[in-house]
Amino acid sequence: MHMEERRVPMMEPFRIRAVEPIPILTRAERRAALEAAGYNVFNLRSADVTIDLLSDSGTGATSIQQEAAAMVADEAYAGSRSWYRFVEEIEDLTGYPHILPVHQGRAGERILDAALLGPGKISISNTHFDTTAANVMLTGAEARNLPCPEAADLDSDQPFKGNIDLDALARTLSGPDGSRVALVLMTITNNGGGGQPVSMANMEAAKELCARHGIPFILDAARFGENAWLVKQREPGYERFTPREIARRAFDLADGTVVSLKKDGAGWGGGFIGLRDDALATQCEANLIATEGFSTYGGMTGHDLSRLAEGVREMVDPFYLAYRADAADHLATRVREAGVDTVRPSGLHGIYLNAGRLLSHLPPQRFPGHTLACQLYLDGGVRCSELGSLYLGELNDRNEVVTPAPYELVRLALPRRVYTQSHLEYVADVLAGIAAKPESLEGYRITHAPPVLRHFKVRLAPYGAA
Ligand SMILES: Cc1ncc(COP(=O)(O)O)c(C=O)c1O
């Protein structure tokens, strides 16, 4: 039967067999919890959170097939059955001859960056994810983002706002910095850039430029299935391909990949590096064995490997992806109806709220995005993260914002297969309550800020409080 005939819009394509109760707190309890957390939602206990939209990474629900596979997993130190199941599946999905397992994506970044980068070198990306940029910088190299110009218009419906700026890439590679560029990293989908997809045409052109300059073209493919789904929907010529075939075409284009399997692997942990180059793979493998684990488990248990071998199949299933897109669209529509603008068009792994516009009475120095994220928790126990001046702004030595981030956003990340439509309705209702009287919010100020990856450990106080 054709997919369109079988598809039921906006219905979870699974039923629930094991349930986890949701914590419901009073407003006073939430206020006390947030205060104890230093007004940083990363410090909250999950037992104090009603709907957790902090991350879509490692937060999904597994399937009965994954759990059945985990039950018969093999925990041998070397060459386990689980490893062979995993590596055959990943080789079939990606086509890379060298697959190096890692415990999560950033371990893969650390190992690959150690081999390719170093002081004076440059890594170019459509947008480096935060830990990705941190790993580049830890080698002494520079992480340079070249997002396409369309990404700057949050309200336009341009279909591929995750693309890299090809003109800027060409200029950089042939300019004075060209010889220092050691890597071009394409993040699909572009998480730091609003969860927007990258077109196949953009990947092909970027690859061609890299090949011309002899520079490795690498995919950060944490959301390979979701990018493939959006290519299928939005890029002419790909309508009849399956998401798995489109993902494979993307992997085919690249010299290698780093993949966190905590997203489109439906795993609670795990990841891998995929490479074509034998010498590079040997160099990375030595680092892998020294720091992650032997090359047939790389920091993962046999249970993880077996679950992931199943998970990567399920995450490119067109019915699953159609449901995921419907859920994201539905939440975005409800949120906009409530009077809160979102970054358009909506991607799949999260809805990005334009907090700067909703709380336009607050300057970046009072962190409108963070204020909205805190209010979602205070009013409804919804946890989510800021992507604005708290995360990206430049501070002076009194921890005041001197250069704001370009936008004040809040990301409602969507864990895979965890929340139902009524949970999403609840989130939209809580937002609608805030949108009805946004001017009552006064903002926050920083009381302590660590020098790197600030948003994880920063502490704040309500603006005006002693
Ligand atoms: C685009 C992207 N790359 C890399 C990572 C890092 O992966 P991990 O959390 O598995 O270390 C993430 C995590 O969210 C991500 O979104």
Side-chain angles (χ1 to χ4, degrees):
M1 200 188 297
H2 191 263
M3 185 181 163
E4 286 310 315
E5 291 166 44
R6 270 207 272 164
R7 191 166 158 201
V8 183
M10 203 45 220
M11 181 178 88
E12 289 78 12
F14 48 81
R15 53 188 168 218
I16 299 163
R17 266 220 215 161
V19 297
E20 181 181 354
I22 277 182
I24 310 279
L25 282 74
T26 64
R27 174 175 278 274
E29 286 168 336
R30 289 196 293 265
R31 184 161 287 287
L34 193 60
E35 188 181 344
Y39 296 92
N40 180 347
V41 293
F42 283 96
N43 291 335
L44 287 171
R45 291 166 183 246
S46 70
D48 292 335
V49 175
T50 302
I51 302 282
D52 206 343
L53 307 185
L54 187 61
S55 178
D56 67 316
S57 178
T59 54
T62 55
S63 66
I64 53 172
Q65 288 83 359
Q66 285 181 285
E67 291 312 311
M71 191 65 98
V72 292
D74 176 0
E75 298 295 348
Y77 184 90
S80 72
R81 284 192 315 277
S82 298
W83 161 251
Y84 283 107
R85 172 114 202 265
F86 172 86
V87 77
E88 279 159 22
E89 193 63 48
I90 299 293
E91 276 170 2
D92 189 57
L93 174 74
T94 65
Y96 295 112
H98 301 287
I99 303 295
L100 303 176
V102 290
H103 81 277
Q104 67 179 91
R106 68 198 67 180
E109 292 162 3
R110 178 179 54 74
I111 290 169
L112 190 65
D113 290 352
L116 292 177
L117 297 172
K121 300 263 172 69
I122 302 173
S123 167
I124 293 189
S125 178
N126 48 344
T127 308
H128 292 87
F129 177 65
D130 56 10
T131 61
T132 319
N135 272 304
V136 169
M137 291 188 270
L138 283 172
T139 71
E142 176 193 337
R144 196 176 290 182
N145 293 333
L146 298 179
C148 66
E150 294 83 356
D153 182 353
L154 304 185
D155 301 312
S156 84
D157 277 322
Q158 208 276 345
F160 290 107
K161 293 202 266 187
N163 284 351
I164 198 164
D165 183 337
L166 292 168
D167 291 340
L169 178 61
R171 274 197 308 277
T172 311
L173 295 183
S174 359
D177 286 344
S179 59
R180 295 201 288 129
V181 178
L183 162 68
V184 172
L185 185 76
M186 192 71 101
T187 310
I188 60 169
T189 56
N190 192 343
N191 187 8
Q196 298 292 321
V198 178
S199 71
M200 296 302 296
N202 189 258
M203 280 187 243
E204 278 161 18
K207 160 70 190 178
E208 205 184 299
L209 281 168
C210 289
R212 213 180 298 154
H213 290 84
I215 293 165
F217 177 65
I218 306 288
L219 295 183
D220 174 354
R223 297 177 181 83
F224 60 87
E226 295 181 355
N227 201 78
W229 179 254
L230 293 169
V231 164
K232 182 176 167 65
Q233 307 306 308
R234 299 179 187 174
E235 189 163 356
Y238 286 93
E239 304 83 353
R240 303 203 68 77
F241 288 95
T242 65
R244 190 181 174 95
E245 286 164 346
I246 298 171
R248 176 57 186 265
R249 282 190 168 219
F251 287 123
D252 281 348
L253 275 173
D255 299 301
T257 189
V258 181
V259 179
S260 163
L261 288 171
K262 296 171 71 174
K263 288 85 169 165
D264 284 352
W268 297 313
F272 68 93
I273 307 171
L275 293 171
R276 296 191 200 288
D277 186 274
D278 297 341
L280 180 59
T282 306
Q283 191 183 350
C284 289
E285 190 179 23
N287 189 342
L288 172 81
I289 298 172
T291 61
E292 280 287 286
F294 187 57
S295 37
T296 64
Y297 72 90
M300 287 185 273
T301 64
H303 284 66
D304 293 331
L305 291 163
S306 294
R307 277 196 193 92
L308 289 167
E310 279 293 323
V312 290
R313 273 188 176 266
E314 294 173 10
M315 293 295 101
V316 288
D317 179 281
F319 294 100
Y320 157 74
L321 284 164
Y323 136 76
R324 183 145 171 86
D326 280 349
D329 269 351
H330 180 75
L331 178 60
T333 306
R334 287 280 285 103
V335 163
R336 282 189 222 119
E337 284 167 3
V340 183
D341 286 334
T342 65
V343 175
R344 298 179 72 108
S346 38
L348 266 64
H349 83 280
I351 299 300
Y352 292 64
L353 310 176
N354 192 335
R357 195 172 288 162
L358 179 70
L359 305 183
S360 56
H361 64 289
L362 294 181
Q365 287 71 16
R366 291 207 210 169
F367 306 113
H370 184 72
T371 305
L372 181 58
C374 284
Q375 207 57 35
L376 276 159
Y377 178 72
L378 289 169
D379 287 0
V382 178
R383 172 157 72 168
C384 53
S385 60
E386 188 252 22
L387 289 173
S389 292
L390 186 66
Y391 171 55
L392 286 174
E394 204 180 298
L395 306 182
N396 64 17
D397 51 12
R398 291 191 304 281
N399 288 330
E400 296 155 345
V401 174
V402 283
T403 313
Y407 314 104
E408 304 294 340
L409 302 179
V410 167
R411 186 185 74 169
L412 304 178
L414 298 171
R416 290 166 181 75
R417 306 187 290 203
V418 169
Y419 293 116
T420 64
Q421 186 173 351
S422 60
H423 294 122
L424 301 183
E425 297 285 346
Y426 169 80
V427 172
D429 287 347
V430 176
L431 254 177
I434 298 172
K437 44 175 178 32
E439 58 294 330
S440 62
L441 304 183
E442 293 178 11
Y444 288 84
R445 65 182 169 82
I446 293 178
T447 56
H448 163 77
V452 282
L453 293 172
R454 179 198 309 151
H455 51 296
F456 289 120
K457 302 302 290 181
V458 65
R459 294 184 80 83
L460 301 100
Y463 187 83

